[in-house]
């Protein structure tokens, strides 16, 4: 979008049959095809181990709708009000074709003391089978802490001391210089005297995929500041939103349509097979590239931009040895789960999303080969208002950083325990489930790296090779929320292609750059 409106001729090729890449949103029929492709070892992908299951029968009248009634996100994300993505969507006028919905309450699962062990797939699962656990709403700020009568006076004072510091960026520098490298749970106990039972709701707001002992105070404070200061920016009681109809995939598709307005061309089912230098008499330096596409077509280009899954292997930058592995699941439930979506405050819009956190220790996979803490499990629950499922159904997106198969088993248990806390009639049934693993390969830090304290991994950076004019971007981190580093990496790629003397502003367009939907459709039909 930015390059096409800066006068560059852009050909956007995608080897997939759908928009959005790893952030795609698929129908049920498309998921069937996707599962087969993911499990085909010859198809390079950031996903593995896809397993689809549909119960033979469910109670009552619960059943799946037709395929296109669903738009299921492979990698769902929240977008915080303070995200740099939202102002960019506004300044580029793309927001006019998007609709955003509020994410309301954050909940935390609390188990009772009665525990029973279960052996599942080589892992010993510890959970509260003797009596059900329950969900507690996580306070979103100082006012919520005062209202919560379950918090004693001493703990209230400790929490207020922490929240005051967390919302004050000027106080962060001095505090983090001394304590930033220490585990966050250790700092909460030693510096704020917050008891262990009160730490879990605070740690949940970091949305860290790591257990508390591996979550640094620097990482945690940055995330909590973002969460607290986002609340109220767009309305009372909520601080993040989700795009309707398919999450980031919807933004990708709208951006592609907007790029076509600027003269860009988008082609699905067309990947890059190889890249070679193209020499011809009178060529400008550096010499253009010859791109060999699937199907035998060839094009000449000054630049090639993509992730490691878009570029041919011989042109990929060296990756860090560290690889993030996240187990994910998508569950369709035969219930609106209305109790999960109360109005967060008077005058707030009806929420269409909610977050449920299973903190470390609330459910656990005891592995004989490891004595380390298990990471938390996060559930992002979407109502039918998102357009992702039929009315009276809901979608549960679950993730944890444990590898398969233990991670998949832990997600199954978390979803089951979550549904057991919901008292609705008829009882919520699981009518469709997809389990899979997502891999996130990291790029090494370079002189041209773009890093951000909000980024989940410091190694996630922008890799640039001036010699061959091939730019390799990192994949979107598998976090709960979109990180600012995602757009920063794109901006730096744009600057390297245009040059520092272009004088243009990134993703800032006036109405003369835009056209109506009908004109866009006519242009798409002509491609």
């Amino acid at each position: 979008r930015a390059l096409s409106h800066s006068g560059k001729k852009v050909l956007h090729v995608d080897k997939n049959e759908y928009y959005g890449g790893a952030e795609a949103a698929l129908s049920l029929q498309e998921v069937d095809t996707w599962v087969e492709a993911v499990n085909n070892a010859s198809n390079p992908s950031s996903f593995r181990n896809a397993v689809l299951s549909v119960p033979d029968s469910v109670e009552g009248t619960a059943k799946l709708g037709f395929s296109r009634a669903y738009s299921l996100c492979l990698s769902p994300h929240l977008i915080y009000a303070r995200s740099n993505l939202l102002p960019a969507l506004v300044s580029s006028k793309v927001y006019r074709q998007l609709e955003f919905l509020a994410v309301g309450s954050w909940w935390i699962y609390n188990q009772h003391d009665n525990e029973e062990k279960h052996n599942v797939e080589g892992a010993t699962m510890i959970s509260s089978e003797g009596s059900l656990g329950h969900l507690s709403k996580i306070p979103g700020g100082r006012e919520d802490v005062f209202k919560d009568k379950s918090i004693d006076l001493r703990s209230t004072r400790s929490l207020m001391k922490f929240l005051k510091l967390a919302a004050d960026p000027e106080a962060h520098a001095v505090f983090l210089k001394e304590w930033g490298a220490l585990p966050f749970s250790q700092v909460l106990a030693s510096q704020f005297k917050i008891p262990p039972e009160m730490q879990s709701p605070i740690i949940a707001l970091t949305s860290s995929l790591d257990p508390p002992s591996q979550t640094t105070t620097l990482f945690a404070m940055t995330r909590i500041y973002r969460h607290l200061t986002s609340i109220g920016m767009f309305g009372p009681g909520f601080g993040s939103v989700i795009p309707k109809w398919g999450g980031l995939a919807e933004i990708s598709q709208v951006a592609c349509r907007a790029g076509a307005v600027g003269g860009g061309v988008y082609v699905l089912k067309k990947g890059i097979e190889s890249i070679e230098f193209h020499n011809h008499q009178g060529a400008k330096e550096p010499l253009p590239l010859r791109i060999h596409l699937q199907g035998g077509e060839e094009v000449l280009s000054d630049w090639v931009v993509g992730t490691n899954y878009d570029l041919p292997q011989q042109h990929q930058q060296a990756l860090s040895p560290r690889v993030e592995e996240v187990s994910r699941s998508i569950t369709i439930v035969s219930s609106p789960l209305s109790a999960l979506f109360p109005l967060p405050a008077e005058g707030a819009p009806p929420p269409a999303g909610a977050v449920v956190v299973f903190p470390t220790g609330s459910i656990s996979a005891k592995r004989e080969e490891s004595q380390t803490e298990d990471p938390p499990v996060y559930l992002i629950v979407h109502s039918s208002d998102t357009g992702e499922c039929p009315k009276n159904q809901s979608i549960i997106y679950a993730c944890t950083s444990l590898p398969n198969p233990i991670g998949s088993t832990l997600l199954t248990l978390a979803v089951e325990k979550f549904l057991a806390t919901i008292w609705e009639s008829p009882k919520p049934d699981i009518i469709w489930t997809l389990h899979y693993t997502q891999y996130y390969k990291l790029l090494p830090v370079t002189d041209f790296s773009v890093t951000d304290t909000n980024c989940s991994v410091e190694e996630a950076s922008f890799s640039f090779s001036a010699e061959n004019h091939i730019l390799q971007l990192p994949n979107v981190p598998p976090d709960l929320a979109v990180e600012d580093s995602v757009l920063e990496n794109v901006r730096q790629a744009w600057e390297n292609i245009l040059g520092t003397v272009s004088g243009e502003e990134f993703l800032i367009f006036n109405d003369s750059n835009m056209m109506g939907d009908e004109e866009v459709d006519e242009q798409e039909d002509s491609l």
Side-chain angles (χ1 to χ4, degrees):
R1 164 85 167 133
L3 287 173
S4 65
H5 280 278
S6 297
K8 297 295 183 180
K9 294 181 179 179
V10 178
L11 172 62
H12 190 166
V13 296
D14 194 327
K15 64 184 177 182
N16 297 312
E17 300 180 357
Y18 46 81
Y19 292 94
E23 286 69 49
L26 307 178
S27 67
L28 296 183
Q29 186 175 351
E30 288 171 333
V31 168
D32 292 338
T33 304
W34 178 84
V35 168
E36 184 177 348
V38 162
N39 293 329
N40 185 344
S42 63
N43 295 328
S45 169
S46 58
F47 299 104
R48 301 283 191 281
N49 312 316
V51 178
L52 178 61
S53 61
V54 180
D56 294 333
S57 62
V58 292
E59 297 180 4
T61 59
K63 61 180 181 179
L64 285 172
F66 60 92
S67 174
R68 286 289 174 184
Y70 299 89
S71 183
L72 306 175
C73 305
L74 296 179
S75 184
H77 291 79
L78 314 178
I79 304 177
Y80 274 102
R82 285 195 174 272
S83 168
N84 62 358
L85 178 59
L86 294 178
L89 294 176
V90 173
S91 65
S92 63
K93 315 300 181 184
V94 170
Y95 77 98
R96 294 174 177 174
Q97 299 179 57
L98 294 167
E99 183 176 349
F100 293 94
L101 303 170
V103 176
S105 302
W106 283 56
W107 305 86
I108 191 166
Y109 179 84
N110 297 286
Q111 68 170 359
H112 300 323
D113 293 334
N114 191 1
E115 296 181 345
E116 182 178 348
K117 296 182 179 180
H118 300 268
N119 292 315
V120 184
E121 293 186 347
T124 301
M125 313 303 297
I126 300 179
S127 59
S128 52
E129 288 293 326
S131 58
L132 296 178
H134 63 278
L135 301 179
S136 298
K137 188 176 180 180
I138 298 177
R142 299 165 72 179
E143 183 178 349
D144 290 343
V145 173
F146 275 123
K147 290 180 179 179
D148 194 336
K149 302 302 181 183
S150 66
I151 305 176
D152 60 57
L153 182 59
R154 183 175 181 179
S155 296
T156 297
R157 290 173 178 171
S158 298
L159 288 172
M160 289 310 220
K161 178 183 177 182
F162 169 77
L163 291 173
K164 182 179 179 181
L165 174 68
D168 183 3
E170 295 183 359
H172 286 183
V174 175
F175 180 82
L176 293 177
K177 185 176 181 180
E178 184 172 0
W179 307 106
L182 295 178
F184 187 47
S185 55
Q186 178 181 330
V187 172
L188 288 177
S190 64
Q191 300 303 308
F192 298 97
K193 310 302 180 185
I194 297 177
E197 65 272 14
M198 296 303 303
Q199 291 183 18
S200 292
I202 298 175
I203 295 173
L205 297 182
T206 69
S207 61
S208 173
L209 294 175
D210 295 322
S213 62
Q214 299 175 31
T215 300
T216 67
T217 300
L218 172 61
F219 177 92
M221 291 292 285
T222 304
R223 294 293 191 87
I224 291 176
Y225 172 77
R226 177 182 63 180
H227 182 92
L228 295 177
T229 57
S230 289
I231 295 175
M233 284 191 66
F234 294 148
F238 73 98
S240 58
V241 295
I242 47 179
K244 190 174 182 178
W245 308 115
L248 294 187
E250 184 68 8
I251 295 179
S252 297
Q253 185 162 332
V254 169
C256 289
R257 288 167 57 89
V261 175
V265 177
Y266 195 105
V267 183
L268 295 173
K269 299 174 64 175
K270 186 71 63 176
I272 298 177
E273 289 189 340
S274 63
I275 304 172
E276 62 177 299
F277 288 103
H278 171 64
N279 293 293
H280 67 281
Q281 189 174 3
K284 296 180 180 180
E285 294 294 343
L287 296 178
L289 304 172
R290 183 186 294 274
I291 317 299
H292 298 268
L293 303 175
Q294 293 173 344
E297 295 94 337
E298 294 183 2
V299 295
L300 299 181
S301 178
D302 288 329
W303 296 88
V304 175
V305 183
T307 70
N308 58 302
Y309 293 110
D310 302 316
L311 300 174
Q313 186 172 4
Q314 65 269 29
H315 296 290
Q316 296 177 11
Q317 300 292 320
L319 294 170
S320 165
R322 182 181 171 189
V323 176
E324 295 281 314
E325 182 175 351
V326 177
S327 293
R328 292 188 178 276
S329 70
I330 305 175
T331 304
I332 302 175
V333 179
S334 65
S335 167
L337 301 177
S338 302
L340 209 64
F341 305 104
L343 282 178
E346 184 178 353
V355 179
V356 179
V357 184
F358 283 74
T360 293
S362 60
I363 53 175
S364 180
K366 294 289 186 179
R367 293 156 286 165
E368 295 181 0
E369 72 278 7
S370 174
Q371 299 299 318
T372 60
E373 291 180 306
D374 288 322
V377 174
Y378 293 93
L379 311 182
I380 303 178
V381 186
H382 288 190
S383 74
S384 61
D385 290 342
T386 61
E388 297 173 13
C389 63
K391 190 176 180 179
N392 295 322
Q393 295 184 9
S394 303
I395 308 293
I396 304 173
Y397 298 101
C399 69
T400 187
S401 58
L402 275 179
N404 188 66
I406 295 178
S408 178
T409 302
L410 195 64
L411 295 182
T412 298
L413 183 61
V415 171
E416 290 175 350
K417 288 192 166 298
F418 160 67
L419 292 177
T421 68
I422 304 297
W423 294 94
E424 289 187 352
S425 181
K427 180 178 68 70
D429 286 317
I430 294 174
I431 56 178
W432 187 96
T433 302
L434 173 67
H435 283 269
Y436 53 101
T437 305
Q438 182 177 11
Y439 292 86
Y440 177 65
K441 297 182 179 181
L442 308 177
L443 292 171
V445 173
T446 72
D447 292 338
F448 299 92
S449 65
V450 176
T451 57
D452 190 289
T453 54
N454 288 338
C455 192
S456 62
V457 278
E458 293 180 359
E459 294 88 346
S461 64
F462 169 79
S463 184
F464 169 61
S465 176
E467 181 179 354
N468 58 23
H469 272 212
I470 297 175
L471 304 180
Q472 181 174 333
L473 299 173
N475 294 288
V476 177
D479 296 285
L480 258 67
V482 178
E483 301 301 330
D484 287 351
S485 59
V486 174
L487 190 61
E488 284 299 307
N489 285 325
V490 175
R491 180 190 58 79
Q492 187 162 354
W494 175 80
E495 289 180 347
N496 277 295
I497 292 174
L498 287 187
T500 57
V501 296
S502 69
E504 297 190 42
E505 294 184 277
F506 181 57
L507 286 177
I508 296 180
F509 309 124
N510 55 43
D511 287 332
S512 63
N513 297 125
M514 305 298 295
M515 66 170 69
D517 289 345
E518 292 182 0
E519 294 173 280
V520 174
D521 292 336
E522 290 177 1
Q523 183 162 342
E524 286 183 337
D525 291 340
S526 67
L527 297 179

